[in-house]
Short mmCIF file of all heavy atoms in Angstrom, two decimals:
data_model
loop_
_atom_site.label_atom_id
_atom_site.label_comp_id
_atom_site.label_asym_id
_atom_site.label_seq_id
_atom_site.Cartn_x
_atom_site.Cartn_y
_atom_site.Cartn_z
N PHE G 39 108.21 74.57 38.06
CA PHE G 39 109.16 74.81 36.99
C PHE G 39 109.29 73.54 36.16
O PHE G 39 109.13 72.43 36.66
CB PHE G 39 110.55 75.17 37.54
CG PHE G 39 110.60 76.50 38.21
CD1 PHE G 39 110.56 76.62 39.59
CD2 PHE G 39 110.68 77.66 37.45
CE1 PHE G 39 110.61 77.86 40.20
CE2 PHE G 39 110.73 78.91 38.05
CZ PHE G 39 110.69 79.00 39.43
N ARG G 40 109.56 73.71 34.87
CA ARG G 40 109.93 72.57 34.03
C ARG G 40 111.41 72.32 34.27
O ARG G 40 112.20 73.25 34.22
CB ARG G 40 109.69 72.86 32.56
CG ARG G 40 108.24 72.72 32.18
CD ARG G 40 108.06 72.93 30.72
NE ARG G 40 108.26 74.37 30.51
CZ ARG G 40 108.39 74.95 29.34
NH1 ARG G 40 108.37 74.25 28.24
NH2 ARG G 40 108.55 76.25 29.24
N VAL G 41 111.77 71.09 34.54
CA VAL G 41 113.15 70.77 34.90
C VAL G 41 113.72 69.75 33.91
O VAL G 41 113.07 68.76 33.59
CB VAL G 41 113.23 70.21 36.34
CG1 VAL G 41 114.66 69.83 36.69
CG2 VAL G 41 112.67 71.22 37.34
N ARG G 42 114.91 70.03 33.44
CA ARG G 42 115.67 69.08 32.64
C ARG G 42 116.88 68.68 33.48
O ARG G 42 117.61 69.55 33.96
CB ARG G 42 116.15 69.72 31.33
CG ARG G 42 115.04 70.06 30.36
CD ARG G 42 114.31 68.85 29.81
NE ARG G 42 115.21 67.78 29.38
CZ ARG G 42 115.53 67.52 28.14
NH1 ARG G 42 115.04 68.23 27.16
NH2 ARG G 42 116.37 66.54 27.85
N GLU G 43 117.08 67.39 33.69
CA GLU G 43 118.16 66.89 34.53
C GLU G 43 119.29 66.32 33.68
O GLU G 43 119.04 65.60 32.73
CB GLU G 43 117.64 65.79 35.46
CG GLU G 43 116.58 66.24 36.41
CD GLU G 43 116.03 65.09 37.24
OE1 GLU G 43 116.43 63.92 37.03
OE2 GLU G 43 115.18 65.36 38.10
N PHE G 44 120.52 66.62 34.11
CA PHE G 44 121.71 66.11 33.43
C PHE G 44 122.73 65.67 34.47
O PHE G 44 123.05 66.44 35.38
CB PHE G 44 122.33 67.18 32.52
CG PHE G 44 121.37 67.68 31.49
CD1 PHE G 44 120.58 68.78 31.74
CD2 PHE G 44 121.23 67.02 30.28
CE1 PHE G 44 119.65 69.23 30.81
CE2 PHE G 44 120.31 67.45 29.34
CZ PHE G 44 119.53 68.56 29.60
N SER G 45 123.21 64.45 34.33
CA SER G 45 124.18 63.93 35.30
C SER G 45 125.62 64.04 34.79
O SER G 45 126.54 63.61 35.47
CB SER G 45 123.86 62.47 35.65
OG SER G 45 123.85 61.69 34.50
N ASP G 46 125.79 64.63 33.61
CA ASP G 46 127.15 64.84 33.09
C ASP G 46 127.16 66.05 32.15
O ASP G 46 126.13 66.45 31.62
CB ASP G 46 127.66 63.59 32.37
CG ASP G 46 126.77 63.18 31.22
OD1 ASP G 46 126.84 63.84 30.17
OD2 ASP G 46 125.99 62.23 31.39
N GLY G 47 128.33 66.60 31.98
CA GLY G 47 128.48 67.79 31.17
C GLY G 47 128.26 67.56 29.68
O GLY G 47 127.70 68.42 28.99
N SER G 48 128.66 66.40 29.19
CA SER G 48 128.54 66.16 27.74
C SER G 48 127.09 66.09 27.28
O SER G 48 126.74 66.63 26.23
CB SER G 48 129.30 64.91 27.33
OG SER G 48 128.83 63.79 28.03
N SER G 49 126.23 65.46 28.06
CA SER G 49 124.81 65.41 27.67
C SER G 49 124.17 66.79 27.78
O SER G 49 123.29 67.14 26.99
CB SER G 49 124.04 64.38 28.49
OG SER G 49 124.05 64.71 29.86
N PHE G 50 124.64 67.59 28.73
CA PHE G 50 124.12 68.95 28.85
C PHE G 50 124.53 69.80 27.65
O PHE G 50 123.72 70.55 27.11
CB PHE G 50 124.61 69.59 30.16
CG PHE G 50 124.18 71.01 30.33
CD1 PHE G 50 122.83 71.35 30.35
CD2 PHE G 50 125.11 72.03 30.47
CE1 PHE G 50 122.42 72.68 30.50
CE2 PHE G 50 124.72 73.34 30.63
CZ PHE G 50 123.37 73.67 30.64
N ILE G 51 125.77 69.67 27.21
CA ILE G 51 126.24 70.41 26.03
C ILE G 51 125.42 70.02 24.80
O ILE G 51 125.03 70.88 24.01
CB ILE G 51 127.75 70.19 25.79
CG1 ILE G 51 128.58 70.80 26.91
CG2 ILE G 51 128.18 70.73 24.43
CD1 ILE G 51 128.57 72.31 26.97
N LYS G 52 125.15 68.74 24.63
CA LYS G 52 124.31 68.29 23.50
C LYS G 52 122.93 68.94 23.57
O LYS G 52 122.39 69.37 22.55
CB LYS G 52 124.18 66.77 23.50
CG LYS G 52 125.41 66.05 23.07
CD LYS G 52 125.20 64.56 23.11
CE LYS G 52 126.50 63.84 22.83
NZ LYS G 52 126.36 62.38 22.97
N TYR G 53 122.36 69.00 24.76
CA TYR G 53 121.06 69.64 24.95
C TYR G 53 121.12 71.11 24.55
O TYR G 53 120.22 71.62 23.88
CB TYR G 53 120.65 69.49 26.43
CG TYR G 53 119.54 70.39 26.88
CD1 TYR G 53 118.21 70.09 26.59
CD2 TYR G 53 119.81 71.52 27.64
CE1 TYR G 53 117.18 70.91 27.03
CE2 TYR G 53 118.79 72.34 28.09
CZ TYR G 53 117.48 72.03 27.78
OH TYR G 53 116.46 72.84 28.21
N LEU G 54 122.21 71.80 24.92
CA LEU G 54 122.35 73.22 24.60
C LEU G 54 122.43 73.49 23.11
O LEU G 54 122.15 74.59 22.65
CB LEU G 54 123.59 73.81 25.29
CG LEU G 54 123.53 73.96 26.80
CD1 LEU G 54 124.86 74.49 27.31
CD2 LEU G 54 122.38 74.87 27.21
N ASN G 55 122.81 72.49 22.33
CA ASN G 55 122.88 72.67 20.88
C ASN G 55 121.51 72.74 20.24
O ASN G 55 121.38 73.20 19.11
CB ASN G 55 123.71 71.56 20.25
CG ASN G 55 125.17 71.72 20.57
OD1 ASN G 55 125.69 72.82 20.65
ND2 ASN G 55 125.85 70.61 20.79
N SER G 56 120.47 72.30 20.97
CA SER G 56 119.13 72.34 20.39
C SER G 56 118.10 73.07 21.24
O SER G 56 117.04 73.43 20.75
CB SER G 56 118.64 70.91 20.13
OG SER G 56 118.56 70.20 21.34
N GLU G 57 118.40 73.29 22.51
CA GLU G 57 117.45 73.93 23.42
C GLU G 57 118.13 75.06 24.19
O GLU G 57 119.35 75.10 24.30
CB GLU G 57 116.91 72.91 24.44
CG GLU G 57 116.20 71.74 23.82
CD GLU G 57 114.85 72.10 23.21
OE1 GLU G 57 114.20 73.04 23.72
OE2 GLU G 57 114.47 71.45 22.23
N LYS G 58 117.29 75.96 24.73
CA LYS G 58 117.83 77.06 25.53
C LYS G 58 117.03 77.14 26.84
O LYS G 58 115.88 77.56 26.84
CB LYS G 58 117.70 78.37 24.77
CG LYS G 58 118.24 79.55 25.54
CD LYS G 58 118.04 80.84 24.80
CE LYS G 58 118.41 81.97 25.71
NZ LYS G 58 117.56 83.11 25.54
N PRO G 59 117.64 76.74 27.96
CA PRO G 59 116.93 76.85 29.23
C PRO G 59 116.86 78.30 29.68
O PRO G 59 117.64 79.15 29.24
CB PRO G 59 117.80 76.03 30.18
CG PRO G 59 119.17 76.14 29.61
CD PRO G 59 118.98 76.20 28.12
N ASP G 60 115.93 78.59 30.57
CA ASP G 60 115.83 79.94 31.12
C ASP G 60 116.85 80.17 32.23
O ASP G 60 117.27 81.30 32.47
CB ASP G 60 114.42 80.17 31.67
CG ASP G 60 113.38 80.08 30.57
OD1 ASP G 60 113.40 80.96 29.68
OD2 ASP G 60 112.58 79.13 30.58
N LEU G 61 117.23 79.09 32.90
CA LEU G 61 118.18 79.15 34.01
C LEU G 61 118.93 77.83 34.06
O LEU G 61 118.37 76.78 33.74
CB LEU G 61 117.44 79.37 35.34
CG LEU G 61 118.25 79.34 36.62
CD1 LEU G 61 119.13 80.59 36.73
CD2 LEU G 61 117.33 79.25 37.83
N VAL G 62 120.19 77.87 34.51
CA VAL G 62 120.99 76.66 34.66
C VAL G 62 121.51 76.61 36.10
O VAL G 62 122.07 77.57 36.60
CB VAL G 62 122.19 76.65 33.69
CG1 VAL G 62 123.06 75.41 33.91
CG2 VAL G 62 121.71 76.73 32.25
N VAL G 63 121.29 75.47 36.76
CA VAL G 63 121.90 75.19 38.06
C VAL G 63 123.01 74.19 37.76
O VAL G 63 122.74 73.05 37.37
CB VAL G 63 120.89 74.61 39.07
CG1 VAL G 63 121.57 74.30 40.39
CG2 VAL G 63 119.72 75.58 39.27
N LEU G 64 124.26 74.63 37.93
CA LEU G 64 125.40 73.88 37.40
C LEU G 64 126.41 73.56 38.49
O LEU G 64 126.91 74.45 39.18
CB LEU G 64 126.08 74.73 36.31
CG LEU G 64 127.35 74.21 35.67
CD1 LEU G 64 127.09 72.92 34.92
CD2 LEU G 64 127.93 75.27 34.74
N ASP G 65 126.73 72.27 38.63
CA ASP G 65 127.81 71.82 39.49
C ASP G 65 129.12 72.17 38.78
O ASP G 65 129.28 71.87 37.59
CB ASP G 65 127.70 70.31 39.70
CG ASP G 65 128.77 69.73 40.61
OD1 ASP G 65 129.58 70.50 41.16
OD2 ASP G 65 128.80 68.50 40.75
N LEU G 66 130.03 72.81 39.48
CA LEU G 66 131.27 73.23 38.84
C LEU G 66 132.30 72.11 38.74
O LEU G 66 133.22 72.18 37.94
CB LEU G 66 131.88 74.43 39.57
CG LEU G 66 131.04 75.70 39.52
CD1 LEU G 66 131.71 76.80 40.31
CD2 LEU G 66 130.81 76.13 38.08
N MET G 67 132.14 71.06 39.56
CA MET G 67 133.12 69.97 39.56
C MET G 67 132.45 68.68 39.10
O MET G 67 132.16 67.79 39.90
CB MET G 67 133.74 69.82 40.95
CG MET G 67 134.51 71.04 41.36
SD MET G 67 135.44 70.95 42.91
CE MET G 67 134.62 69.77 43.90
N LEU G 68 132.19 68.58 37.82
CA LEU G 68 131.61 67.38 37.24
C LEU G 68 132.71 66.37 36.94
O LEU G 68 133.86 66.76 36.73
CB LEU G 68 130.87 67.72 35.95
CG LEU G 68 129.69 68.68 36.10
CD1 LEU G 68 129.27 69.22 34.75
CD2 LEU G 68 128.53 67.98 36.80
N THR G 69 132.36 65.10 36.90
CA THR G 69 133.39 64.08 36.64
C THR G 69 133.91 64.12 35.21
O THR G 69 135.07 63.80 34.96
CB THR G 69 132.84 62.67 36.93
OG1 THR G 69 131.64 62.47 36.20
CG2 THR G 69 132.59 62.48 38.41
N ASP G 70 133.07 64.52 34.26
CA ASP G 70 133.51 64.49 32.85
C ASP G 70 133.75 65.88 32.25
O ASP G 70 134.11 65.98 31.10
CB ASP G 70 132.47 63.76 32.00
CG ASP G 70 131.22 64.58 31.77
OD1 ASP G 70 130.86 65.38 32.67
OD2 ASP G 70 130.59 64.43 30.72
N ALA G 71 133.51 66.94 33.02
CA ALA G 71 133.66 68.29 32.47
C ALA G 71 133.92 69.28 33.59
O ALA G 71 133.61 69.03 34.75
CB ALA G 71 132.40 68.68 31.71
N ASP G 72 134.47 70.40 33.23
CA ASP G 72 134.70 71.50 34.15
C ASP G 72 133.55 72.49 34.01
O ASP G 72 133.28 72.99 32.91
CB ASP G 72 136.03 72.16 33.78
CG ASP G 72 136.40 73.34 34.67
OD1 ASP G 72 135.51 73.93 35.30
OD2 ASP G 72 137.59 73.67 34.71
N GLY G 73 132.83 72.74 35.08
CA GLY G 73 131.70 73.65 35.03
C GLY G 73 132.07 75.04 34.54
O GLY G 73 131.28 75.70 33.87
N PHE G 74 133.28 75.49 34.85
CA PHE G 74 133.72 76.80 34.37
C PHE G 74 133.84 76.80 32.84
O PHE G 74 133.51 77.79 32.19
CB PHE G 74 135.05 77.19 35.01
CG PHE G 74 134.93 77.51 36.47
CD1 PHE G 74 135.48 76.66 37.41
CD2 PHE G 74 134.27 78.65 36.90
CE1 PHE G 74 135.37 76.94 38.76
CE2 PHE G 74 134.15 78.94 38.24
CZ PHE G 74 134.70 78.08 39.18
N GLU G 75 134.31 75.69 32.28
CA GLU G 75 134.42 75.59 30.82
C GLU G 75 133.03 75.58 30.17
O GLU G 75 132.84 76.15 29.10
CB GLU G 75 135.21 74.34 30.41
CG GLU G 75 136.68 74.42 30.75
CD GLU G 75 137.38 75.60 30.09
OE1 GLU G 75 137.11 75.89 28.90
OE2 GLU G 75 138.19 76.25 30.77
N ILE G 76 132.07 74.96 30.82
CA ILE G 76 130.70 74.98 30.31
C ILE G 76 130.16 76.40 30.33
O ILE G 76 129.52 76.85 29.37
CB ILE G 76 129.79 74.03 31.11
CG1 ILE G 76 130.21 72.57 30.85
CG2 ILE G 76 128.33 74.24 30.75
CD1 ILE G 76 129.50 71.55 31.71
N CYS G 77 130.45 77.14 31.39
CA CYS G 77 130.03 78.56 31.45
C CYS G 77 130.67 79.36 30.32
O CYS G 77 130.00 80.18 29.68
CB CYS G 77 130.41 79.17 32.80
SG CYS G 77 129.41 78.63 34.18
N LYS G 78 131.93 79.15 30.07
CA LYS G 78 132.63 79.84 28.98
C LYS G 78 132.01 79.49 27.63
O LYS G 78 131.83 80.36 26.78
CB LYS G 78 134.12 79.50 28.98
CG LYS G 78 134.88 80.10 30.14
CD LYS G 78 136.33 79.66 30.10
CE LYS G 78 137.07 80.11 31.33
NZ LYS G 78 138.46 79.61 31.37
N TYR G 79 131.68 78.22 27.45
CA TYR G 79 131.03 77.77 26.22
C TYR G 79 129.71 78.52 26.03
O TYR G 79 129.41 79.00 24.93
CB TYR G 79 130.80 76.26 26.28
CG TYR G 79 129.94 75.72 25.17
CD1 TYR G 79 130.47 75.46 23.92
CD2 TYR G 79 128.58 75.47 25.38
CE1 TYR G 79 129.68 74.96 22.89
CE2 TYR G 79 127.78 74.98 24.37
CZ TYR G 79 128.33 74.73 23.13
OH TYR G 79 127.54 74.24 22.12
N MET G 80 128.93 78.62 27.09
CA MET G 80 127.65 79.31 27.01
C MET G 80 127.83 80.80 26.70
O MET G 80 127.05 81.38 25.94
CB MET G 80 126.87 79.13 28.31
CG MET G 80 126.38 77.70 28.53
SD MET G 80 125.56 77.46 30.11
CE MET G 80 124.11 78.51 29.89
N LYS G 81 128.83 81.43 27.25
CA LYS G 81 129.09 82.85 26.99
C LYS G 81 129.46 83.09 25.53
O LYS G 81 129.14 84.13 24.96
CB LYS G 81 130.21 83.38 27.90
CG LYS G 81 129.77 83.68 29.29
CD LYS G 81 128.87 84.87 29.27
CE LYS G 81 128.49 85.29 30.66
NZ LYS G 81 127.40 86.22 30.67
N ARG G 82 130.16 82.13 24.92
CA ARG G 82 130.58 82.28 23.52
C ARG G 82 129.41 82.13 22.55
O ARG G 82 129.45 82.65 21.44
CB ARG G 82 131.66 81.25 23.17
CG ARG G 82 133.00 81.55 23.78
CD ARG G 82 134.09 80.66 23.20
NE ARG G 82 133.85 79.25 23.36
CZ ARG G 82 134.30 78.49 24.35
NH1 ARG G 82 135.04 79.02 25.30
NH2 ARG G 82 134.04 77.20 24.39
N LYS G 83 128.37 81.41 22.96
CA LYS G 83 127.21 81.21 22.09
C LYS G 83 126.25 82.38 22.26
O LYS G 83 125.75 82.61 23.36
CB LYS G 83 126.51 79.89 22.41
CG LYS G 83 127.32 78.68 21.99
CD LYS G 83 126.52 77.41 22.05
CE LYS G 83 125.34 77.46 21.20
NZ LYS G 83 125.16 76.51 20.15
#
């Protein structure tokens, strides 16, 4: 698989503004973001 790694939610959100992964493996308790909020963001797009 091609893998893109992100150690924080903000860099992942920036990536989502220009790219679309086929699958996301997401930690729900990130230090800078709430994984549930990232899921909600993705659902709205």
Side-chain angles (χ1 to χ4, degrees):
F39 291 101
R40 280 184 288 169
V41 177
R42 293 294 314 258
E43 298 176 356
F44 302 92
S45 58
D46 59 77
S48 58
S49 62
F50 177 59
I51 293 291
K52 287 180 187 175
Y53 165 79
L54 290 177
N55 289 324
S56 62
E57 301 289 330
K58 180 183 171 217
D60 297 294
L61 175 72
V62 177
V63 179
L64 176 63
D65 181 4
L66 295 178
M67 297 186 334
L68 298 165
T69 54
D70 74 329
D72 180 338
F74 290 110
E75 290 301 319
I76 292 173
C77 287
K78 289 177 187 176
Y79 171 81
M80 291 176 66
K81 281 290 185 194
R82 287 191 302 266
K83 290 192 59 121

